[in-house]
């Protein structure tokens, strides 16, 4: 029971990214600034949870999405 609640999944990374994006857009940060801050915070979070496969996979996917938006793809 408790281990399932405490497990880190891709949903946690997505929620964290969504919260950060909401805050950055609320304060009208420029895209390059909030994209860099989001990337750094997600990489930090991934390292903090010991890079479990679901967290690492989700972090990579969010970073790919940010990079794609940065190059307008």
């Amino acid at each position: 029971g408790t281990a399932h609640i405490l497990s880190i999944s891709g949903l946690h990374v997505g929620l964290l990214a969504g919260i950060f994006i909401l805050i950055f857009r609320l304060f009208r940060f420029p895209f390059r600034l909030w994209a860099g801050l989001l990337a750094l915070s997600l990489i930090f979070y991934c390292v903090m949870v010991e890079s479990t496969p679901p967290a690492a996979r989700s972090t990579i996917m969010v970073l790919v999405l940010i990079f794609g938006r940065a190059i307008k793809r």
Side-chain angles (χ1 to χ4, degrees):
T2 307
H4 180 48
I5 293 172
L6 296 176
S7 68
I8 302 299
S9 68
L11 179 63
H12 295 109
V13 175
L15 286 172
L16 186 66
I19 290 169
F20 277 128
I21 289 171
L22 180 68
I23 291 170
F24 293 148
R25 285 189 173 183
L26 183 68
F27 290 111
R28 300 183 189 268
F29 285 13
F31 170 74
R32 289 183 187 252
L33 177 65
W34 71 254
L37 290 173
L38 179 61
L40 288 175
S41 64
L42 288 180
I43 291 170
F44 177 73
Y45 180 73
C46 188
V47 170
M48 290 290 294
V49 298
E50 299 174 358
S51 298
T52 60
R57 185 174 40 243
S58 299
T59 300
I60 291 168
M61 290 305 299
V62 171
L63 293 176
V64 166
L65 287 171
I66 292 170
F67 180 72
R69 182 159 179 223
I71 62 171
K72 299 190 186 331
R73 289 294 205 155

